[in-house]
Amino acid sequence: SSFDAALAIALASTTANREALLAGGIETAATGIDWRGMAARNGVALRSGNDSAAVSTSMSSGAPLAALLRSPDAEPWLPTAEAARLTKAANAQFIDVSPLAGLVNPQSHGLAAVETIRERLVAGADLVVIDGAGLLGGPSCGLVFGRRALIDAAANHPLARLAAVD
C-alpha cells in the first residue's frame, strides 16, 4: 500500500529480532525514511555506517548480522556489487532500499544514471525495495523485488495482510 509498508514488511520478514547494518547512516535526507522508527517498529537492532570503511569493518567484525540495508545516500560510496560481496561474506541478506530505481536506466536517454531494478538484482541484491508511485505514475505503493524465498517470506508475514500485499 506504500513505500513505508513495503520496507517495513521487508525488514520484519528478514531481520526481525536480529541486528542489521544501515549503510548510509540513520539520518537519510534523500528519502525521508525514519530509520530509527522503522527499526523499532519491526524489532530490528540497527547499526549504521557512514562510509565504505565503516561498513566493511562492521560486516567483517564477526558479530552476526541479519542484513545490510543500503540507503540511497550510500550508493555513491558503496556500489551494489561491493555491498553484495560484503553481505555474502558475512552470510547476511542485502536489502537495497532504492525509491527511485526503475525499469529503464535514464542514462540511455541522456540523463543521470540510476541503476535499474534488474541491474541491482543481477549485481547481488537479495531484495530491492522501491517506491512504485513514480514508477507506475499513479497511486502510492511500495514494490519489493528479489529472491523468491524472501518474497514468499514477506508475503506470508503477518504484517502483509495489513499492508494489502498482493
Side-chain angles (χ1 to χ4, degrees):
S1 60
S2 71
F3 172 72
D4 284 347
L7 182 54
I9 291 170
L11 287 178
S13 64
T14 59
T15 63
N17 301 317
R18 295 184 288 165
E19 192 168 24
L21 177 65
L22 173 63
I26 299 292
E27 306 301 328
T28 305
T31 61
I33 298 169
D34 175 11
W35 288 107
R36 286 185 183 99
M38 185 71 68
R41 286 188 299 277
N42 293 289
V44 179
L46 196 60
R47 292 191 264 167
S48 68
N50 293 319
D51 59 43
S52 58
V55 168
S56 183
T57 300
S58 285
M59 293 300 292
S60 63
S61 69
L65 283 174
L68 170 66
L69 310 170
R70 185 178 71 156
S71 68
D73 59 337
E75 290 182 26
W77 51 263
L78 185 62
T80 307
E82 177 64 9
R85 186 190 67 74
L86 289 170
T87 54
K88 299 310 174 220
N91 199 28
Q93 305 298 326
F94 172 28
I95 302 173
D96 195 6
V97 181
S98 304
L100 300 177
L103 301 175
V104 176
N105 190 329
Q107 187 175 27
S108 62
H109 299 285
L111 302 171
V114 176
E115 276 184 303
T116 65
I117 298 162
R118 179 181 172 83
E119 290 168 341
R120 292 166 191 272
L121 292 169
V122 167
D126 295 305
L127 285 178
V128 177
V129 182
I130 68 166
D131 187 347
L135 177 66
L136 301 174
S140 175
C141 65
L143 301 171
V144 181
F145 298 87
R147 292 194 357 237
R148 170 55 59 196
L150 297 176
I151 296 295
D152 288 345
N156 293 315
H157 194 276
L159 286 177
R161 291 180 70 193
L162 297 173
V165 169
D166 185 351

